[in-house]
Amino acid sequence: MSKTSQKASLFVKRYKERSLQIQAAIPEKAVADLIELLDEARREERQTFFCGNGGSAAMASHMASELGKEASWGRRKRFRVIPLTDNVPWITSTANDSSYADVFVEQLKNFGRRRDVLIAFSTSGNSPNVLRAVDYANSIGMVSVGIVGSPGGKLAGSAQRLVQVDSAHTGHIQDGHFLIQHLVCYYFI
């Protein structure tokens, strides 16, 4: 085994060990509360919106897809999900004509209603466009959920509900976010 291979093997082993420790510490009650909120939203035919940037945008789109298709397939009551991350023409025109900080809030202004749900993914918790969306959601009586890392940034203080991964390492946070979304979605599948 070469030095690079040995070094890579040790890195993989340590990364996996640390990631599994962090994932094991995700608070079950916070995830169960999110499941309950989404179950209620589905029963009451409320919409659930998702947002995030970069890897968190992919996470938002993935969770919307899992709930919208897999967890709704063949069921009378379906999840009404909208990933605010996926309308590229709207996002780019808003960013160009206004500000990137408005790309999610402007969509919510068209679609969001009282008691709808906004799930905001953020590793740092400090993305201005996510924070604006959460502030708007709160102002119209939506339920806002922040899925964050640690310490959670401003999102930890502005989201009404919080699911937190206890790490400041982006990779471990995203590993935890992926687990959270699968725990939630596979509960319904």
Side-chain angles (χ1 to χ4, degrees), residues 168-183:
H169 182 279
T170 300
H172 293 311
I173 295 167
Q174 290 177 343
D175 294 341
H177 288 181
F178 201 76
L179 177 61
I180 291 163
Q181 73 163 338
H182 273 172
L183 290 169

Side-chain angles (χ1 to χ4, degrees), residues 62-133:
H62 186 145
M63 188 169 186
S65 173
E66 292 285 346
L67 287 173
K69 192 235 179 222
E70 297 297 330
S72 294
W73 193 267
R75 291 171 175 83
R76 189 177 66 78
K77 290 276 187 172
R78 292 174 168 245
F79 285 99
R80 300 180 69 223
V81 295
I82 298 178
L84 301 175
T85 50
D86 290 359
N87 192 329
V88 175
W90 197 343
I91 289 169
T92 58
S93 66
T94 301
N96 185 64
D97 297 343
S98 176
S99 165
Y100 190 71
D102 293 331
V103 298
F104 301 135
V105 70
E106 287 301 316
Q107 293 180 73
L108 278 182
K109 287 177 180 179
N110 283 48
F111 298 118
R113 299 290 178 259
R114 185 180 180 284
R115 301 199 69 229
D116 284 344
V117 177
L118 172 64
I119 297 177
F121 286 92
S122 180
T123 57
S124 72
N126 290 317
S127 300
N129 57 1
V130 170
L131 294 169
R132 282 192 191 184

